[in-house]
Amino acid sequence: MTKISKILAVFVAVASLSFVGFAIATTFGGPDWVDVMDAPYFQDYQISRSVGADPSWTATRGSDGGQVATSKVLPEVLSKVMDEVYQKQQQELQELQAREPILQTRNERLSKLQEVDDKALQAYIDKLRVRIADLTQQESDLTSKVTSMAEEAQKIERQVVSRREDIFRLSQQVEELKADLFRLKEIRAQLQDVNFQLNELLIRADERNQLLTKEYNPKPQ
């Protein structure tokens, strides 16, 4: 027996027992029938009592306003309502029992589809896990590579800074050499001028010497 059949059987048993209890109470009397009308069985019905010298009870459906029963005795009206409720329950039970094979077939088909979906989903999850592991490894490799490159960049930066300092020192030396070269050119120009003056003086001294020699050493006649 399926779960649906079990549920329906319990439903019918409870309804039957309730109906039997109501029938016994109707036979032997005793309950407050006004309070009984508040039971869930009568929530879809309207039960009213007419006014006048010969009042009677009438039960009508709340859905379509159709009359179910009328009697001067309230328990008889309530019994008719219970009969209709029981018939509706039996009809609903038959409809549910008729639908049970269809629902069972649909449930089996959905269960098979669910198994296929579960396998596909598990395969996709496994694939994603492999992908995540691969991406994690790639991330680790890239992190190591970036760290190594950062260290290498720092070394190069230190070398560049050191070379900048060397270039600065060399630039200063070049400027000093340029200044020295300029001074050497100035000194050389001065030396050339002094040398020219010395040559002039030597020439004049030589001429003077020759004149003095002629004066002190006249030629014989």
Side-chain angles (χ1 to χ4, degrees):
M1 184 179 291
T2 62
K3 292 183 179 179
I4 296 176
S5 298
K6 293 179 180 179
I7 294 172
L8 294 176
V10 172
F11 175 76
V12 173
V14 172
S16 299
L17 290 175
S18 299
F19 180 77
V20 170
F22 178 78
I24 293 173
T26 302
T27 303
F28 293 98
D32 187 350
W33 299 112
V34 177
D35 292 338
V36 171
M37 287 189 298
D38 294 331
Y41 306 105
F42 309 107
Q43 63 183 0
D44 296 329
Y45 296 86
Q46 183 177 359
I47 302 172
S48 61
R49 185 188 183 196
S50 63
V51 295
D54 191 15
S56 62
W57 292 91
T58 301
T60 57
R61 301 184 192 90
S63 58
D64 57 5
Q67 182 174 311
V68 178
T70 180
S71 175
K72 295 180 180 181
V73 182
L74 177 58
E76 184 178 350
V77 174
L78 297 180
S79 178
K80 294 291 184 181
V81 173
M82 287 295 299
D83 289 340
E84 183 171 297
V85 170
Y86 180 74
Q87 290 176 1
K88 287 182 179 180
Q89 292 176 348
Q90 289 294 323
Q91 184 178 357
E92 291 177 358
L93 176 60
Q94 292 175 359
E95 292 176 355
L96 291 173
Q97 288 176 340
R99 292 180 58 191
E100 181 181 359
I102 299 175
L103 294 175
Q104 185 66 28
T105 302
R106 183 179 299 176
N107 185 43
E108 293 175 356
R109 181 171 61 85
L110 292 176
S111 297
K112 292 180 180 179
L113 292 175
Q114 184 178 2
E115 292 178 0
V116 174
D117 291 341
D118 289 342
K119 291 180 180 179
L121 182 60
Q122 186 61 43
Y124 183 68
I125 291 173
D126 295 339
K127 184 178 180 180
L128 287 179
R129 286 176 177 172
V130 173
R131 179 61 177 168
I132 291 173
D134 182 56
L135 291 175
T136 302
Q137 184 62 40
Q138 291 182 17
E139 180 185 7
S140 178
D141 295 340
L142 288 174
T143 302
S144 300
K145 185 176 180 180
V146 169
T147 303
S148 177
M149 292 178 66
E151 294 176 353
E152 187 66 23
Q154 290 178 354
K155 291 181 181 178
I156 295 174
E157 185 177 1
R158 288 194 293 269
Q159 292 177 359
V160 169
V161 172
S162 177
R163 290 181 180 179
R164 284 177 181 173
E165 294 176 354
D166 294 339
I167 292 172
F168 180 74
R169 287 194 298 271
L170 291 174
S171 298
Q172 288 182 336
Q173 292 177 3
V174 169
E175 294 297 328
E176 292 175 358
L177 288 175
K178 287 181 179 180
D180 292 341
L181 181 60
F182 178 77
R183 286 194 295 271
L184 285 174
K185 288 181 179 179
E186 293 291 329
I187 293 172
R188 180 177 293 177
Q190 294 176 5
L191 288 174
Q192 288 178 352
D193 185 57
V194 171
N195 187 40
F196 178 77
Q197 292 178 6
L198 287 174
N199 288 332
E200 290 291 332
L201 291 173
L202 288 173
I203 292 173
R204 291 177 183 176
D206 186 58
E207 291 176 353
R208 181 64 178 170
N209 186 35
Q210 289 179 3
L211 291 174
L212 291 175
T213 301
K214 288 179 180 182
E215 290 179 357
Y216 291 102
N217 295 307
K219 292 182 180 180
Q221 299 182 352

